[in-house]
């Protein structure tokens, strides 16, 4: 903001700032919710991830909703469900495979193959995003 003070009026800056504040404030609640998940092994880890991720998604939506409504005159409640499909694809497929391609850029064929595989993940993300956007409750 020191370099470009007018950025504070930019919707992308406002949405990012609000989402980060929401995530910071919600983090303790996500940890508490995750601690309540019983059992052990993979089901417990999945439940803990889902509870933390759910709290984070709700917090981000709540903190960004007023800004989105003010700038775009709409809300996207289906985004909560979409996050459960799109974010894992990005975190566990597109990002690690894409970063691996960057790390192996000296080997063009390997990097190209990895980017091709990352592209499949990105295409799956686009399909999921399109599906949720077409839902009746996508915007309000």
């Amino acid at each position: 903001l020191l370099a470009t003070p007018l950025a504070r009026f930019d919707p992308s800056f406002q949405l990012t700032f609000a989402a980060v504040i929401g995530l910071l404030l919600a983090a303790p609640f996500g940890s508490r919710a995750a601690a309540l998940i019983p059992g052990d092994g993979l089901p417990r880890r999945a439940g803990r991830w889902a509870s933390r991720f759910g709290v984070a998604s709700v917090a981000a939506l709540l903190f960004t909703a007023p800004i989105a409504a003010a700038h775009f005159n709409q809300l996207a409640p289906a985004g909560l469900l979409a996050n459960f499909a799109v974010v894992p694809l990005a975190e566990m497929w597109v990002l690690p495979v894409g970063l691996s391609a960057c790390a192996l850029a000296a080997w063009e064929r390997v990097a190209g193959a990895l980017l091709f595989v990352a592209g499949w993940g990105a295409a799956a993300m686009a399909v999921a995003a399109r599906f949720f956007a077409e839902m009746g409750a996508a915007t309000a």
Side-chain angles (χ1 to χ4, degrees), residues 15-27:
L15 289 166
T16 301
F17 191 80
V20 168
I21 295 296
L23 292 172
L24 289 172
L25 293 174

Side-chain angles (χ1 to χ4, degrees), residues 27-105:
F29 297 104
S31 295
R32 285 189 205 124
L36 298 175
I37 304 297
D40 58 347
L42 183 60
R44 181 169 192 228
R45 285 194 310 247
R48 290 174 64 125
W49 175 86
S51 65
R52 282 193 303 268
F53 187 75
V55 168
S57 292
V58 168
L61 178 70
L62 291 176
F63 276 76
T64 59
I67 297 165
H71 285 289
F72 310 114
N73 296 320
Q74 65 180 8
L75 300 174
L80 284 174
L81 293 176
N83 281 347
F84 278 93
V86 175
V87 171
L89 285 170
E91 284 183 2
M92 293 185 259
W93 185 347
V94 177
L95 186 62
V97 175
L99 288 174
S100 297
C102 291
L104 299 172

Side-chain angles (χ1 to χ4, degrees), residues 98-121:
L99 288 174
S100 297
C102 291
L104 299 172
W107 296 279
E108 291 180 31
R109 288 188 182 178
V110 173
L114 288 170
L115 288 175
F116 187 74
V117 171
W120 289 344

